[in-house]
């Protein structure tokens, strides 16, 4: 793709969205195929812990690189992407070399480094998406997830028809090249800094326990489902097709639920209405695989996991946009909230399936546990307003983070002029933002009457009677 194509992508947001969706889909398919083939090419592989830890554990290496070398990739992002692409091509060759000589340690090691490079590039891809309207980003993610399932299915069919390692490597390399070409043409690499400016001196906020419980519950259950699915059905080509179709179905579900602009702004209620029942149903259907309904149970499990993955990617963008903070910090936090729990679920599921017989009673007991975790992770946060605050989808206002410096300076000057206390000065900032007494009380976790008392004292000291007079008085300061 040349300069003209990139300029066209910049001028036409829909074209850019399509290119970035192709990049995301091809890249997800590229990474997941290496994960799947780690099982296909290891005869006698008794469990999937090593491969799953390698495939997800690379996120820790990626987070360390992104956080530790942020000044480098901000200054030389194109070089980072180009160097990562070259490294991924070499690592893919090393992976198939290990497959050829049947070296499990080499396969797992290559998977770990491929995973680390995958999460690095995924970070840059998602960072490029911050320049798009949220509705376009939701559409892009939906398209990317669907394309990922379609491309995996196509590569699987070709490789099944012509089972040569050289062909598999060529197909994977084609996905990698296609992903980077689309990313570059979509102006992701060129405009990432402009698309995602990193605010300086942004105060850190402690992660709410409810958010930890939610992400932990869902990703642990998905890891558990992933491990138990392998216990019910031996890893093979008959298991991969329902997985790929499940990814395509997830794209459709996500599109129908989240792609409308008003739904993007109200993510949390859709989690309760859609993702919670879908996840629970996917876990309950695992036991049906014992009765021969393998295709349905595996497809549902993949659909639920990919739907939540799409939601998680979108929520990361929304949180970074809503709280006005660093996308780097938000993205790294999202990765570190997910990966340990996925690995924990995989290890737990693998341990249980090797220690206990896979019977209907076994799945019934686990279903009760999974249901309790998902209920706690979904409903413990309280009502919609509280959930939005917990997720960061609605900003909990703080005077220290008020972005209008001029108004903040006026409020500080007014506090000195009219003799406001420190607490009254903080409340004045909220009033300058147009906040009501109820909103201030909720944000500051104080009683409504207390907020009203502060406001009444501010009005009396500034000799005003309502919000309009107060704002007029501030402009006069």
């Amino acid at each position: 793709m040349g300069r003209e194509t990139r300029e066209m992508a910049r001028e036409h947001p829909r074209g850019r969205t399509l290119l970035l969706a192709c990049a995301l889909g091809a890249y997800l398919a590229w990474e997941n195929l290496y994960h799947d083939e780690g099982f296909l090419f290891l005869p006698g592989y008794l469990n999937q812990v090593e491969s799953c830890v390698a495939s997800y554990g690379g996120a820790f290496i990626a987070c360390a690189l992104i956080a530790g070398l942020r000044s480098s990739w901000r200054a030389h992002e194109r070089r980072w992407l180009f160097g990562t692409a070259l490294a991924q091509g070499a690592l893919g060759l090393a992976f198939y070399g290990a497959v050829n000589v049947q070296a499990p340690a080499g396969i797992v090691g290559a998977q770990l480094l491929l995973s680390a490079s995958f999460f690095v590039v995924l970070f840059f891809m998602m960072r490029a998406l911050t320049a798009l309207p949220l509705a376009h980003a939701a559409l892009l993610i939906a398209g990317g997830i669907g394309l990922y399932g379609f491309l995996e299915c196509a590569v699987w069919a070709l490789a099944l028809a012509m089972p040569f390692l050289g062909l598999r490597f060529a197909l994977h390399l084609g996905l990698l090249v296609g992903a980077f070409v689309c990313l570059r043409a979509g102006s992701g690499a060129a405009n990432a800094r402009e698309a995602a400016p990193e605010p300086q001196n942004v105060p850190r906020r402690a992660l709410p326990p409810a958010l930890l419980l939610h992400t932990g519950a869902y990703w642990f259950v998905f890891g558990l489902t992933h491990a138990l699915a392998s216990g019910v059905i031996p890893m093979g080509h008959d298991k991969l097709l329902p997985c790929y179709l499940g990814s395509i179905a997830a794209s459709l579900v996500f599109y129908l639920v989240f792609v409308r602009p008003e739904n993007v702004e109200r993510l949390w209620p859709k989690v309760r209405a859609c993702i919670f029942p879908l996840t629970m149903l996917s876990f309950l259907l695992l036991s049906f695989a014992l009765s021969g309904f393998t295709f349905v149970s595996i497809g549902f499990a993949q659909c639920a996991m990919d739907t939540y993955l799409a939601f998680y990617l979108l929520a990361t963008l929304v949180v970074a946009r809503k709280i006005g903070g660093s996308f780097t910090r938000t993205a790294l936090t999202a990765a570190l909230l997910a990966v340990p729990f996925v690995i924990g679920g995989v290890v737990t599921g693998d341990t249980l399936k090797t220690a206990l017989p896979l019977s209907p009673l076994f799945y019934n007991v686990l279903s009760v546990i999974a249901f309790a975790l998902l209920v706690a992770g979904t409903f413990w946060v309280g009502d919609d307003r509280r959930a939005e605050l917990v997720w960061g989808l609605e900003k909990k206002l703080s005077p220290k983070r008020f972005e209008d410096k001029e108004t903040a300076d006026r409020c500080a000057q007014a506090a000195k002029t009219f003799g406001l206390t420190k607490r009254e000065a903080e409340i004045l900032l909220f009033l300058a933002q147009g906040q009501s007494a109820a909103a201030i009380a909720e944000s500051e976790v104080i009683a409504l009457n207390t907020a009203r008392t502060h406001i009444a004292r501010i009005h009396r000291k500034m000799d005003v009677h309502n919000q309009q007079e107060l704002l007029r008085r501030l402009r006069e300061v």
Side-chain angles (χ1 to χ4, degrees):
M1 298 278 182
R3 178 178 296 180
E4 293 181 359
T5 305
R6 293 194 295 272
E7 291 297 332
M8 186 178 299
R10 292 190 189 99
E11 295 173 2
H12 302 282
R14 291 185 179 179
R16 183 182 180 194
T17 300
L18 178 61
L19 287 168
L20 290 175
C22 291
L24 179 63
Y27 201 59
L28 288 171
W30 171 84
E31 194 276 338
N32 202 55
L33 282 166
Y34 279 110
H35 171 65
D36 290 342
E37 292 186 350
F39 304 113
L40 289 176
F41 291 120
L42 283 176
Y45 212 35
L46 298 179
N47 62 62
Q48 61 179 356
V49 171
E50 293 92 339
S51 187
C52 281
V53 169
S55 295
Y56 297 117
F60 296 117
I61 299 175
C63 288
L65 289 173
I66 292 168
L69 301 175
R70 55 185 177 275
S71 59
S72 173
W73 59 255
R74 285 175 183 169
H76 308 289
E77 189 167 317
R78 292 183 185 179
R79 295 180 185 178
W80 266 71
L81 285 170
F82 183 70
T84 305
L86 291 178
Q88 288 172 331
L91 287 169
L93 191 60
F95 175 88
Y96 281 108
V99 166
N100 189 52
V101 298
Q102 285 294 291
I107 293 177
V108 172
Q111 282 182 323
L112 179 64
L113 296 178
L114 284 166
S115 169
S117 64
F118 163 77
F119 280 102
V120 167
V121 178
L122 182 63
F123 167 79
F124 288 123
M125 283 188 174
M126 296 303 296
R127 191 165 178 261
L129 266 56
T130 58
L132 298 175
L134 289 175
H136 286 190
L139 178 62
L140 186 155
I141 292 171
I145 294 293
L147 184 61
Y148 139 64
F150 174 78
L151 289 174
E152 277 195 303
C153 188
V155 171
W156 164 78
L158 288 172
L160 189 62
M162 295 175 284
F164 303 109
L165 289 183
L167 175 63
R168 288 179 181 271
F169 175 71
L171 291 172
H172 290 200
L173 188 61
L175 287 175
L176 180 63
V177 171
F180 275 94
V181 167
C182 290
L183 176 61
R184 185 70 185 91
S187 302
N191 295 327
R193 274 191 296 281
E194 293 77 7
E198 299 291 341
Q200 301 298 317
N201 302 319
V202 177
R204 294 180 181 275
R205 295 174 59 190
L207 293 173
L211 177 58
L212 291 170
L213 177 60
H214 171 82
T215 55
Y218 273 83
W219 286 118
F220 181 84
V221 168
F222 285 130
L224 194 64
T225 304
H226 197 56
L228 293 177
S230 296
V232 176
I233 310 148
M235 187 65 189
H237 292 293
D238 57 335
K239 181 182 174 182
L240 295 180
L241 182 57
C243 287
Y244 302 153
L245 296 180
S247 298
I248 297 173
S251 165
L252 180 60
V253 171
F254 184 80
Y255 176 82
L256 293 175
V257 174
F258 290 106
V259 82
R260 297 182 65 181
E262 57 269 27
N263 291 347
V264 173
E265 296 294 333
R266 299 288 293 166
L267 288 176
W268 182 256
K270 301 303 178 183
V271 173
R272 294 187 307 194
C274 173
I275 294 180
F276 168 73
L278 183 61
T279 303
M280 196 63 236
L281 180 61
S282 71
F283 194 90
L284 291 172
L285 284 174
L286 277 181
S287 61
F288 282 78
L290 296 172
S291 305
F293 294 96
T294 300
F295 199 94
V296 175
S297 60
I298 295 302
F300 256 92
Q302 190 69 36
C303 177
M305 184 171 181
D306 283 345
T307 301
Y308 187 79
L309 171 62
F311 158 77
Y312 204 70
L313 293 175
L314 179 61
T316 302
L317 294 174
V318 175
V319 168
R321 182 82 57 89
K322 290 284 187 178
I323 67 176
S326 163
F327 176 76
T328 300
R329 185 185 304 167
T330 305
L332 297 185
T333 300
L336 295 176
L337 279 175
V339 172
F341 292 108
V342 172
I343 293 176
V346 169
V347 173
T348 301
D350 187 79
T351 302
L352 289 174
K353 77 184 182 187
T354 55
L356 300 172
L358 299 180
S359 63
L361 177 61
F362 171 82
Y363 281 105
N364 289 338
V365 172
L366 280 184
S367 294
V368 172
I369 296 172
F371 180 74
L373 284 173
L374 292 174
V375 167
T378 305
F379 298 100
W380 183 48
V381 294
D383 59 17
D384 289 348
R385 165 69 177 172
R386 175 61 182 162
E388 298 284 300
L389 290 172
V390 165
W391 259 98
L393 304 179
E394 187 167 322
K395 187 189 300 182
K396 181 176 181 180
L397 298 173
S398 167
K400 293 180 180 179
R401 300 196 59 186
F402 188 54
E403 297 174 355
D404 190 340
K405 187 176 185 303
E406 181 181 354
T407 304
D409 291 341
R410 289 180 182 275
C411 289
Q413 183 60 43
K416 293 179 181 179
T417 302
F418 298 103
L420 303 183
T421 66
K422 180 179 179 180
R423 186 56 168 160
E424 289 167 351
E426 293 175 351
I427 299 298
L428 179 61
L429 270 175
F430 288 120
L431 294 173
Q433 299 174 64
Q435 298 301 305
S436 65
I440 294 172
E442 184 173 5
S443 184
E444 291 298 282
V445 196
I446 59 177
L448 179 58
N449 286 337
T450 302
R452 287 172 174 167
T453 299
H454 285 308
I455 294 172
R457 289 174 180 170
I458 292 170
H459 283 180
R460 184 173 64 254
K461 291 181 179 180
M462 296 182 66
D463 192 23
V464 297
H465 301 89
N466 52 49
Q467 181 84 341
Q468 288 73 23
E469 291 182 11
L470 183 143
L471 294 176
R472 192 180 304 117
R473 182 59 56 87
L474 280 176
R475 287 194 292 270
E476 296 171 354
V477 174

